[in-house]
Amino acid sequence: MIASREQLEKTALHYGMLPFFANRIAGFSVEEMAAPGMLFGEECDDYGCWDWKGPVIREMKLAYGKFFRRKAGFVALDLLPDFINYRRAAYPIEPDSQEALILDIIRRHEALSSTELKRMIFGASTRKRQVGELADILDRTKPKRHSLEGPLQRLQMGGYVVIADFEYKYTAAGERYGFGVALYTTPEAIYGKSIVCADRTPLQSLAFLIKKMSENLPDVSLGEIHQILK
């Protein structure tokens, strides 16, 4: 059972890929592996699995994002090149789409919080940066406010965007409050350009990932593993 940040990291690295929430593979999630009261830190003073995501990401051993059926989870860096190779082929980006616009903005700024990204698309950026030549694209493809989450999910599912960390608000007394705000970046920006290289075709990368997962999930069918990776 996961009862510490170290155990969370160790467990995710053991499986290589680990969804945060319950899914079609019973027991295969942080939610189900967390010790009682430790998912959101209800039973401890050191937060819980939900708050340990940021510190785990900062160790640079695991990537984090909405990778599994548009729900969050971890992918170990040694599997990330094949994960990206397969997913980018499975989730291509159409030119001039909302996904292409959002990805271009993230690439230009290297990292943006969800708050900054929304303000940059829907209004002024908190960093007071100019979109410049993207202005005409914004005018033509400006997403509706309710539609930003969908494109961001698709970008994460496609391996184009990951969550680099979470930013929190603090009181004058230094006490943290509220939920963390995701900081979005690209795998290339945080892990280096070599992270997108794989010496396999996308389908070969998928077969490699299924094989790796099946080694740690011997009682789960290959079909079920394939479904969670789609």
Side-chain angles (χ1 to χ4, degrees):
M1 303 296 284
I2 300 171
S4 69
R5 181 191 62 78
E6 291 76 16
Q7 287 178 327
L8 173 60
E9 180 180 50
K10 184 177 179 180
T11 302
L13 286 171
H14 169 74
Y15 287 102
M17 288 172 283
L18 181 64
F20 199 93
F21 296 105
N23 54 82
R24 63 190 303 143
I25 301 178
F28 183 56
S29 70
V30 175
E31 179 180 11
E32 295 161 290
M33 295 178 186
M38 295 303 296
L39 183 62
F40 297 107
E42 303 95 328
E43 299 297 329
C44 69
D45 296 326
D46 189 28
Y47 304 111
C49 296
W50 187 249
D51 297 281
W52 294 330
K53 304 189 305 292
V56 168
I57 294 169
R58 291 195 291 273
E59 291 294 323
M60 301 290 283
K61 297 177 183 177
L62 291 155
Y64 183 82
K66 292 187 175 179
F67 300 141
F68 304 103
R69 317 290 286 191
R70 299 195 181 192
K71 293 185 179 180
F74 296 98
V75 175
L77 256 60
D78 61 337
L79 300 183
L80 193 58
D82 282 286
F83 183 84
I84 291 172
N85 189 37
Y86 164 62
R87 283 295 187 80
R88 289 191 180 181
Y91 294 86
I93 296 178
E94 297 296 327
D96 294 328
S97 64
Q98 292 180 6
E99 289 83 3
L101 166 66
I102 293 168
L103 180 58
D104 199 0
I105 294 174
I106 292 173
R107 281 173 173 165
R108 288 170 182 267
H109 295 83
E110 292 193 352
L112 286 170
S113 70
S114 56
T115 301
E116 288 177 311
L117 188 57
K118 288 176 183 177
R119 289 178 179 174
M120 183 165 286
I121 292 177
F122 303 127
S125 168
T126 55
R127 292 182 180 176
K128 302 184 185 300
R129 293 176 174 171
Q130 298 299 316
V131 177
E133 61 267 33
L134 288 177
D136 61 329
I137 301 177
L138 280 166
D139 289 338
R140 288 186 286 108
T141 64
K142 196 171 186 178
K144 296 179 181 178
R145 286 185 177 274
H146 69 270
S147 66
L148 186 57
E149 180 62 20
L152 275 172
Q153 288 178 347
R154 289 191 288 274
L155 285 170
Q156 291 170 83
M157 282 290 293
Y160 301 98
V161 168
V162 298
I163 295 175
D165 207 342
F166 293 87
E167 297 179 343
Y168 294 88
K169 294 181 179 179
Y170 292 85
T171 66
E175 295 180 354
R176 201 182 81 184
Y177 69 94
F179 292 101
V181 176
L183 184 65
Y184 294 102
T185 188
T186 63
E188 294 94 326
I190 188 171
Y191 304 120
K193 293 182 179 179
S194 62
I195 201 69
V196 301
C197 298
D199 298 327
R200 284 179 269 266
T201 66
L203 287 180
Q204 287 173 334
S205 285
L206 173 61
F208 172 76
L209 294 173
I210 291 174
K211 180 177 181 296
K212 283 292 184 179
M213 287 189 70
S214 67
E215 291 172 357
N216 289 313
L217 297 168
D219 297 327
V220 179
S221 71
L222 298 182
E224 288 179 300
I225 293 174
H226 183 203
Q227 285 298 315
I228 204 173
L229 289 176
K230 290 178 67 176

